[in-house]
């Protein structure tokens, strides 16, 4: 049984919390002030601390600071008045994991508590695993140097080795499937199957028989028993893609498998046990769907134990050149072409384009350019016409005109992109730009590059 320490100097409030959380199956320890926390932790194992911020002798903020100073790992959830959410944010900066506001919504509190405990279990499990195996992760085929992607890598290495359910969200083409398979490849289930189901592609009944399987004669046309994807994914990972496109009825059935680890085949009368790690993805806003009532809230919480949100490409433009380069190498090799890189103007156009189709569109664009390219560099000529400025002149050479840019802007951008391509090598950049090295040095200074 998980043990929660409730720290609150208001006895009535503390008792109310105690009764509700004890009712939810937790063991409760009480403290009437912040200065009691460390002595209690010295005596017993506590899994989670629920702490009021305003207290007589030692306030919550100070207590949290002390806990961190002493290197205590226990997660803390703070309780704060609705009117002072800033102090909760402040507490989180000091190391609190989450917060709830007064007056307390008990259901919300239970969710926050459950989530914090899940996360904590995951963290320790992962730490132990890492220590045991000297864990090595391989995310080599996922490119991203933007802070947003670095955060994704961090979460990935944290959760990959666990069995935690992961919900991946992001626009189309942002890499949801790639991340799902990386989770599998870097888990202890990697020798097991990775099974994918696209929930949007199948009609409700068909989807259910696909997921759960059916017995012979379950419906017209079911002329033999068929195992569902859940069973096929046993000891492995099941990837439910486009989970936002699933009927409420199917959602209820998935929830049951998640909660009980067992399912019934359609037309069957016994249950089947499955050992499956679930990873789900969607480009839809599930939170909004929960509010609309088209997605079950309980399933949403079950799925999003660990949420991973993939930013759209136009929110991480610094990844564009690296991704473009990565795809260039991949497709040059595949097509046996000796292409060295991008012409700075081509790179500039790639960097400026909004990429509604995200990374998939970038990948397709580069692949196409590689196929079209006859020289050693990809130039704007090999890019799709819609990416070129309106008055782009093919005859006059690859000069992408304006598009609202001044000549200076374009020059600056061309220099920046070229330097990026040559990884800072100025002589090489000057050569590519067709100017003297000294001229380049002057311009770098002028533009503050
Ligand atoms: N960070 C990345 N590094 C390298 N390649 C990537 C990255 N993200 C995506 N890709 C590639 O882009 C393509 C699209 O990715 P993926 O199919 O995973 O996107 P998705 O989010 O599942 O899209 P959709 O919602 O349309 O199904 C794939 O070829 C994938 O390998
Ligand atoms: Mg996909």
């Amino acid at each position: 049984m998980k043990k929660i320490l409730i720290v609150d100097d208001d006895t009535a409030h503390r008792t109310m919390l105690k009764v509700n959380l004890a009712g939810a199956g937790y063991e409760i320890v009480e403290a009437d002030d912040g200065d009691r926390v460390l002595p209690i932790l010295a005596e017993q194992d506590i899994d989670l601390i629920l702490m009021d911020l305003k207290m007589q002798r030692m306030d919550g903020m100070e207590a949290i600071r002390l806990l961190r100073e002493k290197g205590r790992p226990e997660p803390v959830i703070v309780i704060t008045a609705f009117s002072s959410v800033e102090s909760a944010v402040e507490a989180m900066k000091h190391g609190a994991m989450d917060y709830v506001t007064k007056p307390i919504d008990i259901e919300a509190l239970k969710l926050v508590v459950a989530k914090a405990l899940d996360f904590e279990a995951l963290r320790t499990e992962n730490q132990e695993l890492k220590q045991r195996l000297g864990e090595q992760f391989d995310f080599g085929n996922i490119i991203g140097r933007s802070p947003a992607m670095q955060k994704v890598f961090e979460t990935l290495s944290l959760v990959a080795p666990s069995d935690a359910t992961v919900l991946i969200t992001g626009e189309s083409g942002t890499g949801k499937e790639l991340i799902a398979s990386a989770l599998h490849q870097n888990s202890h289930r990697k020798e097991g199957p990775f099974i994918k189901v696209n929930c949007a592609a199948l009609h409700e009944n068909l989807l259910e028989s696909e997921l759960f399987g059916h017995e012979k004669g379950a419906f017209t046309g079911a002329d033999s028993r068929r195992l569902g994807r859940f069973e096929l994914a046993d000891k492995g990972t099941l990837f439910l893609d486009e989970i936002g496109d699933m009927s409420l009825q199917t959602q209820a059935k998935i929830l049951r498998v998640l909660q009980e680890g067992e399912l019934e085949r359609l037309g069957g009368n016994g249950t089947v046990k499955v050992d499956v790690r679930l990873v789900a993805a969607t480009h839809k806003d599930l939170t909004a769907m929960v509010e609309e009532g088209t997605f079950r809230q309980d399933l949403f919480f079950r799925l999003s134990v660990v949420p991973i949100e993939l930013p759209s490409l136009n929110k991480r433009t610094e990844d564009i050149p690296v991704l473009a380069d990565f795809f260039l190498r991949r497709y040059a090799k595949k097509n046996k072409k000796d292409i060295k890189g991008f012409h700075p103007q081509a790179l500039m156009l790639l960097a400026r384009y909004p990429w509604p189709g995200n990374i998939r569109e970038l990948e397709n664009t580069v692949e196409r350019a590689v196929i079209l390219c006859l020289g050693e560099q990809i130039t704007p000529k090999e890019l799709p016409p819609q990416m070129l400025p309106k008055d782009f002149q093919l005859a006059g050479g690859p000069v992408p005109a304006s598009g609202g840019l001044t000549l200076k802007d374009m020059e600056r951008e061309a220099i920046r992109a070229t330097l990026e391509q040559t990884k800072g090598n100025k002589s090489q950049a000057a050569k590519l730009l067709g100017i003297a090295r000294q001229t380049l040095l002057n311009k770098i200074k002028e533009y503050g590059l």
Side-chain angles (χ1 to χ4, degrees):
M1 202 191 259
K2 296 281 183 193
K3 223 191 242 185
I4 301 178
L5 171 61
I6 303 178
V7 193
D8 193 336
D9 62 350
D10 176 340
T11 315
H13 198 250
R14 197 172 68 230
T15 308
M16 183 281 289
L17 292 171
K18 175 182 170 172
V19 169
N20 279 292
L21 288 173
Y26 298 110
E27 188 179 343
I28 306 299
V29 179
E30 295 174 75
D32 64 0
D33 201 278
D35 61 6
R36 295 283 311 127
V37 175
L38 280 174
I40 291 177
L41 293 184
E43 277 168 15
Q44 41 186 323
D45 287 336
I46 298 289
D47 295 294
L48 178 79
I49 304 171
L50 185 58
M51 178 138 56
D52 193 23
L53 276 183
K54 276 222 180 73
M55 284 176 293
Q56 292 296 323
R57 298 194 297 273
M58 184 192 284
D59 69 20
M61 204 76 82
E62 178 64 13
I64 290 170
R65 220 187 40 70
L66 256 180
L67 283 172
R68 291 305 162 248
E69 200 177 283
K70 300 266 183 246
R72 301 294 318 193
E74 290 83 358
V76 180
I77 295 174
V78 299
I79 305 171
T80 176
F82 184 67
S83 54
S84 59
V85 171
E86 317 83 67
S87 56
V89 174
E90 183 65 27
M92 285 172 77
K93 274 192 205 144
H94 284 97
M97 182 176 250
D98 210 336
Y99 70 92
V100 285
T101 51
K102 278 197 257 192
I104 301 236
D105 171 346
I106 290 297
E107 289 313 308
L109 172 69
K110 283 182 197 164
L111 279 171
V112 169
V113 165
K115 226 171 161 166
L117 285 170
D118 268 357
F119 192 81
E120 188 52 25
L122 216 133
R123 204 181 59 82
T124 28
E125 182 186 329
N126 179 57
Q127 247 174 16
E128 282 161 14
L129 239 168
K130 260 190 177 166
Q131 276 164 3
R132 226 170 42 232
L133 307 174
E135 199 72 50
Q136 282 292 317
F137 294 105
D138 182 12
F139 302 128
N141 60 340
I142 310 175
I143 306 298
R145 63 155 81 132
S146 58
M149 283 307 288
Q150 291 302 320
K151 235 181 96 188
V152 169
F153 289 131
E154 219 178 280
T155 315
L156 274 180
S157 47
L158 188 68
V159 298
S162 77
D163 268 347
T165 303
V166 178
L167 176 66
I168 308 167
T169 53
E171 286 174 14
S172 173
T174 46
K176 297 186 289 297
E177 185 162 352
L178 184 70
I179 297 288
S181 93
L183 279 169
H184 175 72
Q185 291 309 330
N186 288 281
S187 76
H188 64 89
R189 295 172 176 267
K190 64 168 176 266
E191 310 296 340
F194 177 71
I195 305 283
K196 177 189 162 178
V197 185
N198 184 340
C199 306
L202 297 170
H203 221 272
E204 178 168 335
N205 289 336
L206 218 53
L207 176 61
E208 287 194 6
S209 113
E210 196 66 34
L211 287 172
F212 307 112
H214 58 72
E215 297 291 349
K216 184 174 175 175
F219 47 84
T220 351
D223 41 16
S224 62
R225 167 200 271 188
R226 185 160 169 222
L227 294 187
R229 302 280 174 106
F230 263 104
E231 280 179 83
L232 292 174
D234 195 39
K235 308 265 181 317
T237 306
L238 180 65
F239 174 42
L240 293 180
D241 203 4
E242 305 299 358
I243 193 140
D245 293 76
M246 194 187 273
S247 73
L248 284 162
Q249 183 193 317
T250 313
Q251 289 172 28
K253 293 195 176 172
I254 301 258
L255 182 67
R256 174 155 174 238
V257 186
L258 279 181
Q259 274 168 347
E260 289 157 32
E262 56 183 36
L263 55 88
E264 267 160 49
R265 298 194 192 109
L266 298 193
N269 39 22
T271 54
V272 185
K273 282 244 171 264
V274 284
D275 168 21
V276 167
R277 193 244 186 116
L278 201 68
V279 175
T282 179
H283 67 277
K284 293 198 172 166
D285 181 353
L286 288 190
T287 324
M289 289 182 69
V290 168
E291 264 161 35
E292 277 168 14
T294 47
F295 201 87
R296 292 182 66 115
Q297 185 177 44
D298 42 11
L299 180 60
F300 174 68
F301 281 120
R302 279 268 165 186
L303 290 175
S304 58
V305 174
V306 180
I308 294 185
E309 197 183 328
L310 294 177
S312 54
L313 189 52
N314 63 24
K315 296 225 173 62
R316 42 170 157 142
T317 42
E318 63 265 57
D319 286 343
I320 294 175
V322 231
L323 279 163
D325 206 56
F326 174 76
F327 292 131
L328 176 67
R329 277 170 225 272
R330 174 186 287 175
Y331 289 106
K333 193 168 164 205
K334 187 172 161 203
N335 293 285
K336 303 196 173 52
K337 290 206 170 186
D338 189 20
I339 305 174
K340 303 250 186 298
F342 291 88
H343 187 279
Q345 284 166 337
L347 204 56
M348 182 188 83
L349 289 172
L350 293 179
R352 293 196 154 270
Y353 184 68
W355 301 110
N358 292 294
I359 300 175
R360 177 176 298 111
E361 188 182 6
L362 175 61
E363 180 172 359
N364 293 341
T365 302
V366 174
E367 181 178 15
R368 173 181 177 274
V370 166
I371 292 167
L372 294 177
C373 181
L374 300 172
E376 286 200 330
Q377 270 193 339
I378 306 263
T379 70
K381 273 188 291 188
E382 285 94 43
L383 299 181
Q386 78 270 17
M387 284 185 58
L388 305 183
K390 279 192 190 59
D391 39 4
F392 179 68
Q393 299 269 328
L394 272 186
V399 182
S402 182
L405 289 180
T406 64
L407 201 56
K408 274 208 180 316
D409 280 342
M410 291 178 63
E411 186 174 79
R412 183 180 193 281
E413 190 53 30
I415 291 174
R416 193 198 58 76
T418 311
L419 281 169
E420 184 150 315
Q421 187 193 332
T422 64
K423 300 193 170 59
N425 183 326
K426 300 194 182 76
S427 309
Q428 212 180 331
K431 212 186 261 167
L432 281 172
L433 288 163
I435 55 176
R437 188 166 185 280
Q438 189 54 48
T439 315
L440 177 65
L441 294 179
N442 295 342
K443 291 200 183 284
I444 289 176
K445 209 162 167 195
E446 179 188 342
Y447 291 127
L449 287 167

